[in-house]
Amino acid sequence: MLDTVPIFQSIKSAKKVEHFNCPYDKLIVCSYKLPRQQFIDLIRPARFETDDDKSFYRYKLVHDLFSVYWMQMNPLAPKTSIMLNPWKHQLSPDDLLALIDFIIGSHLETHVAHNDDKLDWFQFMTSKDLAKRLYVGYQKKPPRDYHDLGQTYLYGKRSGQQAKNYDKAEEQGLDGEIWTRLEKSRKRRDKRSRPTLMQFLLDQRCDALKNVVIVDIDKFSGRDKIMRRINKYGTFQEAYMSLTEEEKRKIKRHEAFKSPLFDVVAMFKSELDKWLSLSPNLHFMCKVFPVFKASWGGRDKLQYRVVRLKPIHLNYTEALSAYIGDNNRFSLRNDYLAEISL
């Protein structure tokens, strides 16, 4: 029955590309509302009661495009939890919002509880090569080589902000390919720290992959102690942790660390911008969001800035109201676009 719904037909009929630009591998959004009755009625034959204590929800539905859990066991927990994978299913931001609207009724009433930020490298370096360069600043223990295969390296526990470097080609069953993925998970257990979905999408995400550095170890000499330790332990993280405090400070002052092989934050933001551009109205909203915030805050003077966008045609107030809602607190000043150049 779900395949007859227009949004599902639109997503499944869309042309797929080999490498889809999207920085999110997984998103979990939650709501203190139950799914719409229309949604419940539509999927009722497929609904079943969970017997998995780990889900903490009475009902769940696993679909190709999403998983949804509802009727929580804990009365303080969100009533509904939805898991989606925008990268895997090649969902545009508007597709993401439309699916949530279909399930809950309004994406404006959802919050982001979990997100997996990711970057990919193709035909460049293996996961083992990346492990020799990867530094995750907030982790206090050496990474774990999963099953000792030299394919997956886990930095930290899944319950926290785990970083993971692994062989994506192996996972996808692609023989002869070099495809390495770096992921960082963010779980927000405190509901007060969970942004609304729109806040999350409009955010510049300067926190993405924060304190993650891909050190340019080719700038070290082969005689340097850090290189000997990398050869001994197999990962930069463990090699670095084996040094004295003074040696660690010297490493962080070294050009290899100060000018890393890749600027992962810049790469992530570029990937995010490409993904947002698939939904022009939301992309526009993201570009001018600082101006909107200033207008909502009642500031009379705005700092001048130029925003360069590809020409798009939309009725600003009507098109953007779908993203910000009808809340009177967000009434827009008449000159809110005065300082934006298209």
Side-chain angles (χ1 to χ4, degrees):
M1 291 295 291
L2 288 178
D3 290 338
T4 64
V5 176
I7 179 59
F8 291 86
Q9 293 177 337
S10 174
I11 292 172
K12 292 198 172 185
S13 64
K15 183 179 179 180
K16 305 302 180 184
V17 298
E18 183 178 4
H19 299 304
F20 182 65
N21 289 314
C22 178
Y24 298 121
D25 189 55
K26 180 171 73 174
L27 286 176
I28 297 179
V29 299
C30 58
S31 174
Y32 285 88
K33 291 181 58 179
L34 288 171
R36 295 187 311 142
Q37 189 59 46
Q38 296 94 317
F39 173 79
I40 299 295
D41 292 341
L42 190 62
I43 58 93
R44 190 179 298 278
R47 185 185 66 182
F48 62 91
E49 192 165 348
T50 64
D51 56 4
D52 179 4
D53 291 338
K54 294 182 180 180
S55 69
F56 303 108
Y57 284 86
R58 184 177 178 185
Y59 298 112
K60 72 176 179 181
L61 175 72
V62 179
H63 185 267
D64 289 344
L65 297 177
F66 61 85
S67 297
V68 57
Y69 298 78
W70 68 100
M71 290 193 68
Q72 79 285 16
M73 303 295 189
N74 181 350
L76 299 179
K79 293 182 178 180
T80 305
S81 177
I82 307 170
M83 183 174 70
L84 308 104
N85 191 321
W87 171 81
K88 179 180 178 180
H89 298 114
Q90 300 198 9
L91 303 176
S92 71
D94 279 340
D95 290 336
L96 182 74
L97 298 179
L99 283 173
I100 293 172
D101 286 345
F102 172 72
I103 297 169
I104 292 293
S106 173
H107 59 266
L108 299 173
E109 300 183 56
T110 60
H111 292 75
V112 177
H114 178 112
N115 57 281
D116 285 349
D117 303 333
K118 65 90 177 167
L119 288 175
D120 290 314
W121 286 268
F122 301 97
Q123 309 301 335
F124 183 70
M125 60 180 172
T126 66
S127 54
K128 184 178 290 187
D129 293 332
L130 181 56
K132 291 180 179 180
R133 295 162 172 80
L134 186 60
Y135 170 74
V136 182
Y138 55 87
Q139 295 295 350
K140 304 303 180 184
K141 293 184 178 180
R144 181 163 58 95
D145 183 352
Y146 189 64
H147 290 327
D148 297 319
L149 296 175
Q151 296 175 345
T152 300
Y153 297 85
L154 305 174
Y155 297 72
K157 298 180 179 180
R158 293 182 62 183
S159 58
Q161 294 190 51
Q162 184 185 69
K164 180 167 64 172
N165 152 38
Y166 63 102
D167 186 342
K168 190 67 176 178
E170 174 69 20
E171 183 197 73
Q172 298 291 308
L174 301 175
D175 295 333
E177 295 289 323
I178 299 177
W179 179 2
T180 302
R181 172 164 292 186
L182 172 63
E183 285 183 13
K184 179 184 174 184
S185 297
R186 173 79 185 273
K187 294 184 179 181
R188 301 172 180 84
R189 299 186 181 280
D190 184 354
K191 65 180 182 180
R192 292 169 296 183
S193 68
R194 296 170 181 169
T196 66
L197 180 57
M198 285 311 304
Q199 288 173 337
F200 179 80
L201 291 177
L202 295 175
D203 188 10
Q204 294 294 315
R205 291 304 319 281
C206 294
D207 64 323
L209 299 175
K210 186 178 180 181
N211 297 318
V212 175
V213 181
I214 301 180
V215 182
D216 191 353
I217 62 174
D218 292 336
K219 293 177 180 177
F220 292 121
S221 166
R223 297 186 300 273
D224 288 341
K225 184 176 181 179
I226 185 65
M227 291 303 298
R228 297 198 303 271
R229 294 295 174 90
I230 290 173
N231 292 331
K232 177 181 178 180
Y233 296 115
T235 69
F236 179 87
Q237 187 86 6
E238 188 167 1
Y240 175 84
M241 295 176 70
S242 71
L243 302 177
T244 66
E245 292 303 316
E246 177 59 29
E247 289 170 335
K248 289 178 182 178
R249 285 192 287 269
K250 287 183 178 180
I251 290 294
K252 287 194 172 182
R253 292 195 297 265
H254 196 283
E255 191 65 20
F257 204 97
K258 292 169 60 178
S259 299
L261 187 60
F262 297 101
D263 184 339
V264 292
V265 174
M267 288 179 64
F268 179 90
K269 293 175 74 172
S270 174
E271 187 94 346
L272 176 60
D273 190 70
K274 291 175 183 176
W275 181 60
L276 289 171
S277 69
L278 298 176
S279 300
N281 290 352
L282 183 61
H283 192 221
F284 174 83
M285 183 77 171
C286 183
K287 292 293 185 181
V288 302
F289 189 54
V291 181
F292 277 100
K293 288 176 67 176
S295 179
W296 295 336
R299 287 166 49 189
D300 293 327
K301 294 183 179 180
L302 302 178
Q303 182 179 359
Y304 178 76
R305 61 184 297 163
V306 175
V307 179
R308 293 182 175 85
L309 299 171
K310 293 181 180 179
I312 57 177
H313 303 282
L314 51 82
N315 180 311
Y316 297 112
T317 303
E318 181 178 350
L320 300 181
S321 63
Y323 298 110
I324 63 175
D326 299 322
N327 194 320
N328 291 331
R329 291 187 300 115
F330 299 148
S331 58
L332 303 178
R333 213 172 57 196
N334 291 333
D335 61 344
Y336 73 94
L337 291 176
E339 300 188 27
I340 299 176
S341 301
L342 297 179

